């Protein structure tokens, strides 16, 4: 049976009779899912809220063109390979599974089939924004707004692009861009952990960065609201990009700083140069301000570690 149809059939988490249960187990292991097998019957260890293009599209404005894929290398890579959508429109791509999911700093983004949100949005920004680095922070704020819409308060932002909850990473943003004449083809990728199997959490921890968490650990009810979350993320990202183009970064800076989990923490930023000091929020350009003695460093890129809180 085709992978997508097999998972749709097993998505309710109940026992099902299948032909060649062992082969099905091998196939699902390839996309990060475990199958419980009892002779010719099998089940997923938990139900999956399979993505529904119809349900999500019904919550989106007409200028968003949505595609939902079962398996891709990376939703960001897919959209970057295509020509940009016409200015004023958005192309959104969601995938159940990415076999080459990408995070910041060359890291992999691990998300077993149906266990998270793997979303990318492409837009043609005309004229090209002067400070494209701020776009990733704008998308971080948009993702936080989407989580709040679903009732999740208490999530925060860790510079430059992590969504965190209780000190652990719930998701992240990967913003990529390619020049297109006087315009900029922007692809914003958002990954959110919904239900990370232990094996995936171990792989993420082994890859460095902060420990991972998922929405399931916060409230298992979120796992069956995947389509709602996907639609909320798309709507808030599209609205935030329009708001940024119209009104600028000032309000996003304020909202970002309100959600900043690093503020007042002793941090060490490794990037082009290493900077250690006390984090003091982002400046008008979106750079992280780090105070060391009488100097405030404005860090534009790097990986941040908290030294003490
Ligand atoms: C990070 O925290 O390092 C950024 C993670 C971004 C992951 C998303 S999932 C959808 C999109 N496609 C990718 O390959 N990466 C982004």
């Amino acid at each position: 049976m085709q992978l997508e149809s097999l998972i749709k059939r097993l998505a309710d988490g109940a026992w099902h009779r299948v032909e060649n249960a062992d082969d099905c187990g091998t196939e699902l292991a390839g996309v990060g899912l475990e199958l419980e097998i009892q002779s010719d019957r099998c089940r997923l260890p938990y139900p999956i809220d399979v993505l529904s293009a119809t349900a999500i599209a019904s919550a989106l404005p007409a200028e968003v063109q949505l595609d939902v894929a079962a398996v891709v290398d990376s939703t960001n890579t897919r959209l970057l390979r295509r020509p940009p959508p016409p200015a004023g429109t958005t192309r959104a791509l969601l995938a159940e599974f990415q076999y080459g999911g990408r995070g910041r700093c060359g890291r992999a983004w691990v998300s077993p089939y149906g266990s998270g949100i793997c979303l990318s949005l492409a837009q043609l920004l005309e004229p090209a924004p002067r400070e494209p680095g701020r776009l990733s922070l704008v998308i971080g704020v948009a993702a936080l707004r989407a989580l709040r819409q679903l009732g999740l308060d208490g999530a925060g932002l860790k510079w430059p692009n992590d969504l965190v909850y209780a000190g652990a990473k719930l998701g992240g943003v990967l913003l990529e861009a390619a020049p297109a004449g006087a315009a900029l083809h922007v692809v914003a990728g958002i990954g959110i952990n919904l239900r990370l199997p232990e094996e995936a959490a171990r792989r993420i921890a082994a890859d460095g960065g902060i420990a991972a968490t998922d929405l399931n650990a916060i409230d298992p009810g979120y796992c069956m609201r995947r389509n709602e979350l996907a639609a909320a993320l798309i709507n808030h990202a599209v609205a935030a990009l329009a708001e940024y183009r119209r009104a600028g970064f000032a309000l996003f800076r304020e909202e970002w700083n309100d959600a900043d989990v690093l503020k007042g923490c002793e941090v060490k930023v490794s990037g082009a140069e290493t900077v250690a000091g006390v984090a003091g929020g982002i400046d008008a350009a979106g750079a992280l301000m780090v105070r060391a003695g009488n100097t405030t460093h404005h860090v534009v890129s790097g990986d941040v570690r908290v030294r003490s809180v």
Side-chain angles (χ1 to χ4, degrees), residues 238-300:
V238 170
L241 286 171
E243 188 185 336
Y244 171 62
R245 301 286 280 168
R246 199 177 53 243
F249 189 61
L251 287 176
F252 287 100
R253 178 188 178 192
E254 213 172 287
E255 205 170 325
W256 203 101
N257 278 332
D258 284 345
D260 181 9
V261 297
L262 292 177
K263 200 171 215 147
C265 294
E266 286 272 355
V267 296
K268 184 173 169 188
V269 192
S270 332
E273 50 173 343
T274 300
V275 174
V278 178
I282 56 169
D283 67 14
L288 180 70
M289 295 185 285
V290 180
R291 183 128 188 108
N294 291 329
T295 311
T296 299
H297 298 272
H298 295 253
V299 183
V300 293

Side-chain angles (χ1 to χ4, degrees), residues 97-242:
F97 180 71
Q98 303 181 118
Y99 54 86
R102 296 186 289 112
R104 269 185 73 243
C105 304
R107 295 198 182 102
W109 182 257
V110 179
S111 184
Y113 197 109
S115 72
I117 299 286
C118 300
L119 164 68
S120 296
L121 299 150
Q123 281 192 357
L124 184 69
L125 301 184
E126 202 167 19
R130 271 187 299 122
E131 311 219 33
R134 298 194 295 204
L135 290 170
S136 131
L137 305 169
V138 167
I139 296 295
V141 168
L144 207 59
R145 289 176 180 173
L147 291 169
R148 284 198 197 119
Q149 183 184 313
L150 262 77
L152 177 66
D153 293 317
L157 294 163
K158 174 178 174 281
W159 191 86
N161 71 336
D162 288 350
L163 291 154
V164 297
Y165 188 88
K169 180 157 169 166
L170 188 59
V173 173
L174 178 67
L175 196 121
E176 298 179 290
L184 192 69
H185 178 196
V186 167
V187 173
I190 305 175
I192 308 271
N193 301 326
L194 221 72
R195 189 195 290 268
L196 266 185
E198 260 176 46
E199 167 57 22
R202 261 197 303 275
R203 275 185 64 193
I204 292 168
D207 203 17
I210 59 174
T213 189
D214 59 15
L215 287 173
N216 181 48
I218 301 165
D219 177 351
Y222 287 122
C223 292
M224 297 314 275
R225 297 173 70 191
R226 210 165 151 240
N227 287 291
E228 194 185 340
L229 175 57
L233 286 166
I234 297 170
N235 277 323
H236 279 286
V238 170
L241 286 171

